Amino acid sequence: MSDQRDVQAEQENAAVEENVETVEVNDAQEAEAPMDETAQRIYELETALSEAQATVKEQQDSVLRARADMENARRRADAEVEKARKFALERFAGELLPVVDNLERAIEMTDKDNEAVKSLLEGVEMTHKSFLSTIEKFGLVLIDPQGEAFDPELHQAMSMQESADHAPNTVMAVMQKGYQINGRLLRPAMVMVSRAPSGGVDTQA
């Protein structure tokens, strides 16, 4: 009888221990479940954040490219406008040069000792001076190289002449003055250039 009670007690203790282990396993599983959900949620949020950061970076790059394209387009437009302005100014200035030439010829050919035309000559000289002053404000520069060394970039040699009074390749006479506008040659000066009296032709001219 005593042995039967002992067996029954052992069975009851084993059942209790099994119930305790089952409860512990369930508690552990319930504890792990929220941790798994939290980790999954963190992973999802991190993934979404990475995607959002990549999208922002891509949009920033797009904005920078668009800004660079816009700046390049603006610079090209400014350059085209400036080019068109300079071309129009050069063409206009080129059309005015014959007027300057005619005024200079009138001054040169007028008899300065003739009192009858003295006042007329003064008027022409004033007109010529005022005209040059006006066009110089727009970048026009006179090229009058009398006595200077010949420069093929600015001068056009119409003839060469032997001279003992001038160094070789010196401008002896200016047949027509030249002009530059905004640093660009508008018309070369037409000149006569000296050469050595030995009869040798100086190839630099």
Side-chain angles (χ1 to χ4, degrees), residues 21-185:
E21 290 176 357
T22 301
V23 170
E24 289 176 352
V25 169
N26 291 337
D27 289 343
Q29 290 176 346
E30 290 176 359
E32 288 177 0
M35 289 298 294
D36 290 343
E37 291 177 3
T38 302
Q40 179 66 25
R41 183 61 178 158
I42 290 173
Y43 173 76
E44 292 174 355
L45 290 174
E46 288 178 345
T47 301
L49 178 60
S50 297
E51 292 175 353
Q53 288 175 336
T55 301
V56 169
K57 182 68 168 64
E58 183 178 348
Q59 291 177 346
Q60 286 177 337
D61 292 342
S62 297
V63 169
L64 290 176
R65 283 194 298 270
R67 184 178 298 173
D69 290 342
M70 183 179 67
E71 184 66 18
N72 290 335
R74 185 187 64 79
R75 288 176 181 171
R76 284 194 298 269
D78 290 346
E80 289 297 324
V81 169
E82 182 65 16
K83 184 178 178 180
R85 186 189 70 81
K86 284 186 176 181
F87 175 75
L89 188 60
E90 286 179 16
R91 185 174 178 181
F92 178 67
E95 294 293 329
L96 294 178
L97 295 186
V99 178
V100 179
D101 294 338
N102 290 334
L103 289 172
E104 290 177 349
R105 289 191 192 97
I107 293 171
E108 290 173 2
M109 296 180 67
T110 301
D111 184 3
K112 296 177 176 56
D113 297 327
N114 190 339
E115 292 294 331
V117 296
K118 189 173 182 179
S119 59
L120 178 62
L121 176 60
E122 290 176 355
V124 173
E125 288 175 339
M126 288 179 60
T127 301
H128 177 256
K129 184 177 179 181
S130 175
F131 195 84
L132 283 180
S133 176
T134 300
I135 58 179
E136 283 173 359
K137 292 178 182 177
F138 293 91
L140 198 69
V141 177
L142 176 68
I143 302 174
D144 187 6
Q146 179 71 42
E148 298 177 4
F150 176 75
D151 183 354
E153 297 292 327
L154 302 175
H155 313 150
Q156 181 176 348
M158 304 304 292
S159 65
M160 295 189 70
Q161 183 172 321
E162 294 182 2
S163 175
D165 300 326
H166 299 85
N169 291 322
T170 299
V171 175
M172 298 173 56
V174 178
M175 303 169 183
Q176 187 180 61
K177 296 174 184 176
Y179 290 90
Q180 285 180 301
I181 185 165
N182 296 320
R184 295 180 61 178
L185 184 65

Side-chain angles (χ1 to χ4, degrees), residues 9-28:
E10 288 177 1
Q11 291 176 346
E12 289 176 355
N13 288 336
V16 169
E17 289 177 359
E18 185 178 351
N19 288 337
V20 169
E21 290 176 357
T22 301
V23 170
E24 289 176 352
V25 169
N26 291 337
D27 289 343

